[in-house]
Each structure stands twice: as structure tokens, then as C-alpha cells.
Amino acid sequence: MKPISDVVAPLRARKLLDIRWYKQNWTLVSTIISGIALIWSWTGWWRAWLPVDPAWVAIVLSGFPILKLGFMGVFVFRDLKAGVLVSIALIAAVAIGEYFAAGEVAFIMMVGELLEVHTVRRARQAVTKLVSLVPQTARVRRNGAEEEIPVARVRPGDLVLVKPGERIPVDGRVTSGLSAVDQSAITGESMPVDKRPGDEAFIGTLNQLGVLEIEATRVGEDTTLARVVKLVAEAEKKKAPVQRLADKWANWLVPASLITAIIVYLWTKDIVRAVTILIVFCPCALVLATPTAIVAGIGRAAKNGILIKSGAALEAAGRVDAILFDKTGTLTYGRPRVVGLLALSGREEDVLLTAGVAEKFSEHPVARAILAEANQRGLTLPDPDGFEVLLGHGVSASRGGKKLLVGNARLFAGKGIEIPGVIQAWLTAAEDRGETALVVSEDEQVLGAIGVADALKDGAAETVKTLGRMGLPELAMATGDNTRTAAAVAEAVGITAVFAEQLPGQKSGSVKKLKDKGRRVAMVGDGINDAPALASADVGIAMGVTGTDVAVEAADIALISDDLAKVPQIFELGRHVLRVINQNIIASAVINVGAIILAAYGIIGPVAGALVHNAGSVAVVANSARLIRNRSVQTTR
């Protein structure tokens, strides 16, 4: 014979004997019982079995939480909300003997609450699923030996080894190894991202191919994932202006319903009509109209790697009509790259090799760009025999008895080295494009030229084009760069308004200039110098939650990745949420007004009134839930 524990275990697994499950889901259980009691009451079969109407079961089980909410609203919070009006309607229905109607009101209210909870829970699943992605242990290399330890014991600076098929347990920087990593759960990117030394790695992402060694930079509550959870949790606590307006409406609807019910009673002398008015007047659908849409929108955004800190930010994003972009690190990569090569004769690689040898010991950003390009092309760079920095001009070096020069035109003019006309024309064109143009020579013989610039991010121009198609009337750019460089970048991406040579305080002033024109402004940036502008804009958007902490804290919305293509999604999602809210409000108003008229003329009674009224709540919740189901946000028109 099986022990009792073996018999109970499978039942508990199915939640039949698990008392804790019933405690946590009492609303669901009591609503089910209330529904069964109402069906029994409606059939009339109870009369031969019970002395009282089974509808009382629904009145007690589902009505008590509503009456408690109404009592707290009046006597504790001194605030008139939907619970107060529903309580009045429920008590009035009981007072005239409409027990089934009273039970039905309470039952359908609880069904609406369950639907709302279900919508919120689905919206939060994007975050809760992320938490489950974090590995419990990490393989760490310490003192030359590998050991597997709990993730909680990993410290910044530890070297973590991640094998193919394993999830990355920390935020960090790849120090060795090559692999493709699936970041879809964190950043929303659909395709795996190649990782090589120097690249960022995010906690919870899946290593697909090679072994990676990652230096931990953020652990525990400082990781990207922890910040995602924190930001979404904070967002759900903050109300949008539209939501606060709905609360105000609920406050004056209570006295309005009582006055209307009294007028109908005095006019018709029919107490049933008056009670029906109270039932259908409840603003449940109106109160649900905004919060369900806001929570669903925030959940939808989190699935796409967009963190929205508050409902107010999401609402404001839907009303934006001007966007101010930072340049460096936002529209561009924020680090110089070789964007042009010209060889006077021979191969481009020969020019790059000479420049790389000359710049090998330099710490200048331009030098790092040249060395990175040489490394990418597989060039081996020997050390120079001698090296000298020529401040403001370039570098001088020697190798194998040959003198190497890399620098601007002023350097060569000062040394009396003539620059060929072809090279000179190329330099002028490069500078007009906002590039840093360098001449390369060997033993005073010009070999060619190199153009270095902070390259545009992939998709920057397409993002600006998409925003234009969305009908945003003003797109501008602010940067600390000189006017010529700023104009070149703006022209390349399709932006016409440029604020150049901007200090951090001046960027904030640029936001004010747009606001003074009557614009609702969004600022998109990534650095410390963008923080004042992000804070002063109607909507501040920080590029990359793993980036500058100051920028992320100052912003209202943060992108987990630096994917510019997500920027249009923010504004389209905001517009979509506003449309859903307006649809909800209009639908709830139409249903309530129509039901009030029908009730006043006696066309519907308390039972039908309860059904009609609560149908509005169900419709509002279902409409908001569409925001969660949408797989992607459309940004073309």
C-alpha cells in the first residue's frame, strides 16, 4: 500500500489539496463559487432544497471585497472611487430584494478584476521570464584555477568562462574568445550577435558557439537584468496624467449617480429603475481604461528591449512632435574609424601599413582607429625604431632607416614637403565631410592619405527617415563638434536643424528653444553631458541601459541596446497606447450613457443593467490586452 504522501503528492501537484494555492488565489476560487451559486439561483432549483437564495453566496463572497474597498475609500482614504459606487448599487439591489442582480453585480465586478489582473500578469511576464534566465552558478578563473561558484559570489573583475549552450551569468566585457550570442531576451534583437574581445556581454544571454572569457563589470543588483526589473517595477507604480484624470472623474461620478437615481425615482416612482441607474452608473470601465493600457504598453516595450519608467513617460512619448538627437554615441558610434583610404600608387594596405607602424606607440584616438583598421585587415605591424609625437600636427617615426610621417597638411607644409594635387583635392573633400584627413609619407615621399571619422551607426539615416514618415515635424541634432562636422553628419542622416559646438548646459538650452516654439520635445542621448538635456525634455531617452549611469537615471526611457531602430518604436507605441486609452474611454462612456437611458425608461432592469455595465469593463480590458499580443510595432505609414 502506498504511503499517504505518495497519494497526496500528485494531487497537490495538480493544486487540488495545496492550501497555499487556494490562499494565493482566493479571488479566483471565490469567483468560481459565486458563479456556480448564481447559476443555481437563476435556474430556481434551489427552492426545493434551500430556504434562502443561493445568490447570497455571491453577494457575500464577491461582494465583501467590494464593500470593504468602498468603506476604506469613504472613511479611511476620504476618496470616492469606483468601489464606493458599486457598494451603493449592491446595497440598493439587496434592499429591494433583487438578490440575483446584487450577486451578479458583485460577481461580474470580480470577473473584471480577474481579467485586469490577468492582463497585468501577462504584461509582467516579459520581466519575470528574464529573471529565470539567470544561471545559478558561474565558472570563474581565479589564481590560474577554474572553480564553479554561486552567481552571488561573483565579484567585479572576476574572469568568467562561458561554454557553448550556457547563459552568461554577469554583465561584462569579452577578454578572449569568439562566439555568436543570442541577446533576444535582453535587447530584443532577433539575430545572434557576434562577440569578440572588447565587446560587451549581457547577463542572461545565450552563448551559442565558442568559449568566451568575460571580465565581470556588473554583478547582482547592478546588472542590466536587475535594472530592467527595477525600472519596470517603478513604472507600474507611477500614474500617467490620463490615469489621474480618470480618478477625478470617478470622484464626481458618485454624487452624479446618486442625483440621477433620485431624479429618476421622483419622475417614475419606480425604485427598481433608480437602483438600475446606480448599477449602470458605476465607472468601472472608465477606471480600467488607462491603467490596463499603460501596464500592457510597458510590458510590450520591455519585451522589445525598451524600458519605460512611468506611465507619464509613455503617454508623453505618444504626444511628442520634436526630437533632438545627440550626435556622438547616439547617431554615431562614438569612436573614430577609418572611413577613407587613398593610395597615390600601389595598394591601400601599403599606406595603412606605413601609417600603422608610425602610429603604433601613439595613444591618440586617431591612432587607435588606424591600428584597429590595420588589425581588421590582418596586417602585422612591426615596432618603429623611433617615435615622436608632433602636437597638433601628427607623428614622426622611423623604421629600417626610413623616416615615416603621418599628419595633417600643416605638418607637411612646415617641413616643405609638397602634397600632390590629387591628395590635396581628396583632403579637402574629406574635411568637407567632417573627417580628420591625414597624409602619409615615407622618406618625404607622399604615399597616400587616410580619412578618420566618428562613423554613423548602421541604420541612423533609416531611423531618421522612419521618424519623418511618422509625421514628426521637427528633427534636430545637438553636438559639441564644430559646425562643419556637425553639418556633414546631419546631412548624412537627413536632419536639417543643427545645434553645433554645444556644452552640456547649452544642449539643455536647445531643448528649451524647441519648447519655446510650442513643441513637445524628446531628447535622445547617451553620455553624462546629455543628462541635463535628457532631464529637461518632455521625454528623455537614454541609449543603452548598460551605458552611462547618469544618463540612464536622468532619462524617462532607456534602451537596453544601442539599436537606433527602436527609437521610432517608442513613439509609435506611445501613440498606440493613447489610441487604446481613447477607445476605452469612449467605449465606456457610450455604454454607460446608453445603459442609463435604457434604465431610466425601464427597458432594462437590475440584472440586464449589471450585464450591460460590466460588459464595458470586459471590453476595455480585452482592448488593452491587444497591446500585449502585438508582435511588433509598425513605424511606417
Side-chain angles (χ1 to χ4, degrees):
M1 185 174 179
K2 290 183 179 180
I4 187 65
S5 58
D6 289 350
V7 177
V8 172
L11 295 176
R12 179 165 289 140
R14 294 198 297 270
K15 301 179 180 176
L16 295 180
L17 294 181
D18 193 340
I19 302 301
R20 291 172 301 177
W21 184 89
Y22 286 104
K23 287 181 179 179
Q24 294 169 1
N25 295 274
W26 170 243
T27 301
L28 175 61
V29 173
S30 62
T31 303
I32 293 172
I33 295 173
S34 297
I36 295 171
L38 284 173
I39 293 173
W40 196 6
S41 173
W42 178 68
T43 61
W45 296 342
W46 60 274
R47 300 181 191 281
W49 302 84
L50 296 174
V52 295
D53 194 329
W56 274 101
V57 175
I59 294 172
V60 173
L61 291 181
S62 295
F64 177 75
I66 298 171
L67 293 172
K68 180 181 177 182
L69 180 64
F71 178 86
M72 296 287 286
V74 173
F75 297 103
V76 179
F77 301 111
R78 307 290 182 182
D79 201 4
L80 300 178
K81 294 291 173 58
V84 176
L85 190 48
V86 176
S87 298
I88 294 172
L90 196 152
I91 293 171
V94 171
I96 65 172
E98 290 283 353
Y99 303 127
F100 181 81
E104 184 188 28
V105 169
F107 170 73
I108 300 181
M109 278 293 296
M110 298 309 291
V111 170
E113 181 179 331
L114 287 172
L115 287 173
E116 180 186 2
V117 169
H118 177 65
T119 299
V120 172
R121 183 181 294 128
R122 286 188 60 195
R124 291 174 178 168
Q125 282 177 352
V127 177
T128 55
K129 285 181 180 178
L130 291 179
V131 177
S132 66
L133 298 178
V134 182
Q136 298 300 307
T137 60
R139 192 178 294 102
V140 177
R141 179 177 291 167
R142 290 176 175 171
N143 302 320
E146 293 182 17
E147 57 177 317
E148 192 164 323
I149 62 173
V151 170
R153 288 176 50 197
V154 178
R155 297 290 177 262
D158 282 345
L159 295 178
V160 179
L161 299 179
V162 184
K163 294 182 178 180
E166 294 181 343
R167 293 196 178 272
I168 297 173
V170 295
D171 282 349
R173 181 178 58 84
V174 177
T175 56
S176 68
L178 298 172
S179 184
V181 175
D182 180 359
Q183 299 185 157
S184 58
I186 303 295
T187 66
E189 294 166 287
S190 59
M191 297 296 292
V193 178
D194 291 335
K195 296 292 182 181
R196 54 177 56 85
D199 289 343
E200 292 251 40
F202 303 135
I203 187 172
T205 55
L206 180 64
N207 182 27
Q208 293 188 327
L209 298 176
V211 177
L212 291 176
E213 182 184 74
I214 299 170
E215 180 184 356
T217 56
R218 289 187 176 94
V219 297
E221 63 182 13
D222 295 327
T223 61
T224 302
L225 185 57
R227 296 173 76 177
V228 169
V229 175
K230 179 182 177 183
L231 289 175
V232 174
E234 289 176 350
E236 292 175 353
K237 296 177 183 177
K238 298 177 182 177
K239 292 186 176 182
V242 170
Q243 189 170 345
R244 290 193 291 270
L245 180 62
D247 287 342
K248 291 180 181 178
W249 288 355
N251 283 330
W252 68 259
L253 279 173
V254 172
S257 68
L258 292 173
I259 293 171
T260 305
I262 292 171
I263 292 173
V264 168
Y265 175 71
L266 294 175
W267 172 48
T268 64
K269 306 300 182 182
D270 188 344
I271 189 65
V272 174
R273 295 191 192 188
V275 172
T276 305
I277 290 288
L278 293 175
I279 292 173
V280 299
F281 222 114
C282 298
C284 308
L286 176 63
V287 174
L288 291 173
T290 299
T292 52
I294 291 292
V295 171
I298 290 172
R300 177 72 259 166
K303 283 186 176 182
N304 288 335
I306 301 168
L307 305 181
I308 300 175
K309 294 185 180 181
S310 68
L314 182 56
E315 181 189 338
R319 304 185 190 278
V320 161
D321 56 9
I323 303 175
L324 181 64
F325 285 96
D326 167 54
K327 182 187 79 71
T328 305
T330 302
L331 292 173
T332 67
Y333 285 102
R335 55 183 183 273
R337 292 183 175 186
V338 173
V339 294
L341 263 171
L342 174 67
L344 197 58
S345 62
R347 302 183 309 153
E348 290 181 350
E349 283 74 9
D350 294 334
V351 177
L352 188 60
L353 178 62
T354 302
V357 172
E359 296 276 13
K360 190 170 184 180
F361 292 160
S362 174
E363 294 297 324
H364 196 280
V366 169
R368 290 199 292 270
I370 291 173
L371 297 177
E373 181 68 18
N375 181 61
Q376 186 174 341
R377 298 197 183 199
L379 301 180
T380 301
L381 303 177
D383 293 343
D385 299 326
F387 170 76
E388 180 185 3
V389 174
L390 306 173
L391 291 176
H393 293 86
V395 298
S396 173
S398 60
R399 173 70 185 175
K402 295 182 178 181
K403 187 174 183 179
L404 313 177
L405 282 178
V406 180
N408 53 35
R410 295 192 305 276
L411 170 64
F412 286 80
K415 292 187 176 294
I417 300 174
E418 184 179 354
I419 299 176
V422 175
I423 298 293
Q424 189 65 61
W426 192 91
L427 295 176
T428 302
E431 289 173 353
D432 288 341
R433 294 191 298 268
E435 300 172 12
T436 299
L438 306 171
V439 181
V440 181
S441 73
E442 183 180 83
D443 283 342
E444 299 188 356
Q445 182 68 39
V446 174
L447 303 179
I450 298 177
V452 176
D454 185 4
L456 287 176
K457 285 184 177 178
D458 295 335
E462 182 58 33
T463 294
V464 172
K465 185 177 179 181
T466 299
L467 291 169
R469 287 199 300 265
M470 289 171 61
L472 287 159
E474 188 143 15
L475 302 174
M477 184 185 78
T479 177
D481 285 347
N482 62 64
T483 302
R484 187 165 65 171
T485 300
V489 172
E491 182 181 0
V493 298
I495 290 176
T496 54
V498 179
F499 300 96
E501 300 179 10
Q502 298 275 290
L503 297 174
Q506 292 173 316
K507 285 186 179 181
S508 181
S510 299
V511 171
K512 186 177 183 301
K513 287 179 182 178
L514 292 173
K515 282 187 171 184
D516 289 343
K517 294 167 63 177
R519 300 295 189 191
R520 285 160 291 194
V521 184
M523 170 69 190
V524 185
D526 74 315
I528 293 175
N529 62 338
D530 298 323
L534 289 169
S536 62
D538 295 293
V539 181
I541 301 172
M543 295 292 297
V545 75
T546 59
T548 307
D549 290 345
V550 175
V552 174
E553 290 300 321
D556 303 296
I557 299 173
L559 304 183
I560 297 179
S561 68
D562 285 330
D563 184 4
L564 271 171
K566 294 189 183 299
V567 173
Q569 294 182 21
I570 294 171
F571 305 114
E572 185 58 34
L573 178 62
R575 292 177 178 184
H576 194 176
V577 168
L578 286 179
R579 287 196 297 270
V580 169
I581 290 173
N582 289 333
Q583 291 166 4
N584 289 347
I585 291 174
I586 292 171
S588 63
V590 169
I591 291 173
N592 274 29
V593 171
I596 289 169
I597 294 172
L598 294 175
Y601 282 94
I603 297 174
I604 60 173
V607 174
L611 285 171
V612 171
H613 159 259
N614 285 287
S617 298
V618 174
V620 161
V621 173
N623 192 41
S624 296
R626 293 188 303 114
L627 286 164
I628 304 174
R629 291 197 299 270
N630 286 348
R631 291 292 177 185
S632 61
V633 179
Q634 299 299 319
T635 55
T636 56
R637 300 236 169 147

